Coordinates of all heavy atoms in Angstrom, one line a residue:
S100 N -73.8 -112.1 120.8 CA -74.6 -113.3 120.4 C -74.6 -113.4 118.8 O -74.6 -114.5 118.3 CB -76.0 -113.2 120.9 OG -76.6 -112.0 120.5
A101 N -74.7 -112.3 118.1 CA -74.7 -112.4 116.7 C -73.4 -112.9 116.1 O -73.4 -113.8 115.2 CB -74.9 -111.0 116.1
V102 N -72.3 -112.5 116.7 CA -71.0 -113.0 116.3 C -70.8 -114.5 116.6 O -70.4 -115.3 115.8 CB -69.8 -112.2 117.0 CG1 -68.5 -112.9 116.7 CG2 -69.8 -110.8 116.5
A103 N -71.3 -114.9 117.8 CA -71.2 -116.3 118.2 C -72.1 -117.2 117.3 O -71.6 -118.2 116.8 CB -71.7 -116.5 119.6
D104 N -73.3 -116.7 116.9 CA -74.1 -117.5 116.0 C -73.4 -117.6 114.6 O -73.5 -118.6 114.0 CB -75.5 -116.8 115.8 CG -76.4 -116.9 117.0 OD1 -76.1 -117.8 117.9 OD2 -77.4 -116.2 117.1
F105 N -72.9 -116.5 114.2 CA -72.2 -116.4 112.9 C -71.0 -117.4 112.8 O -70.9 -118.2 111.9 CB -71.7 -115.0 112.5 CG -70.9 -114.9 111.3 CD1 -71.5 -115.1 110.0 CD2 -69.6 -114.6 111.3 CE1 -70.8 -115.0 108.9 CE2 -68.8 -114.5 110.2 CZ -69.4 -114.7 108.9
L106 N -70.2 -117.4 113.9 CA -69.0 -118.3 113.9 C -69.4 -119.8 114.0 O -68.6 -120.6 113.6 CB -68.1 -117.9 115.0 CG -67.5 -116.5 115.0 CD1 -66.7 -116.2 116.2 CD2 -66.7 -116.3 113.7
D107 N -70.6 -120.0 114.3 CA -71.1 -121.4 114.4 C -72.0 -121.8 113.2 O -72.7 -122.8 113.2 CB -71.9 -121.6 115.7 CG -72.1 -123.1 116.1 OD1 -71.3 -123.9 115.8 OD2 -73.2 -123.4 116.6
S108 N -72.0 -121.0 112.2 CA -73.0 -121.1 111.1 C -72.3 -121.7 109.8 O -71.1 -121.6 109.6 CB -73.6 -119.8 110.7 OG -72.7 -119.0 110.1
V109 N -73.2 -122.2 109.0 CA -72.7 -122.6 107.6 C -72.3 -121.4 106.8 O -71.3 -121.5 106.1 CB -73.8 -123.4 106.9 CG1 -73.5 -123.6 105.4 CG2 -74.1 -124.7 107.6
D110 N -72.9 -120.2 107.1 CA -72.5 -119.0 106.4 C -71.0 -118.7 106.6 O -70.3 -118.4 105.6 CB -73.3 -117.8 106.9 CG -74.8 -117.9 106.5 OD1 -75.2 -118.8 105.8 OD2 -75.6 -117.1 107.0
F111 N -70.6 -118.8 107.8 CA -69.2 -118.6 108.2 C -68.3 -119.5 107.3 O -67.3 -119.1 106.7 CB -69.0 -118.9 109.7 CG -67.6 -118.8 110.1 CD1 -66.9 -117.6 110.2 CD2 -66.9 -120.0 110.5 CE1 -65.6 -117.5 110.7 CE2 -65.6 -119.9 111.0 CZ -64.9 -118.7 111.0
R112 N -68.6 -120.8 107.2 CA -67.8 -121.7 106.5 C -67.8 -121.5 105.0 O -66.8 -121.6 104.4 CB -68.3 -123.2 106.8 CG -68.1 -123.4 108.3 CD -68.5 -124.8 108.7 NE -67.4 -125.7 108.3 CZ -66.6 -126.3 109.2 NH1 -66.9 -126.2 110.5 NH2 -65.6 -127.1 108.8
I113 N -69.0 -121.2 104.4 CA -69.0 -121.0 103.0 C -68.3 -119.7 102.6 O -67.7 -119.6 101.5 CB -70.4 -121.1 102.3 CG1 -71.3 -120.0 102.8 CG2 -70.9 -122.5 102.6 CD1 -72.6 -120.0 102.0

Side-chain angles (χ1 to χ4, degrees):
S100 60
V102 173
D104 288 347
F105 176 67
L106 297 177
D107 194 37
S108 72
V109 169
D110 294 351
F111 174 72
R112 297 182 81 109
I113 66 172

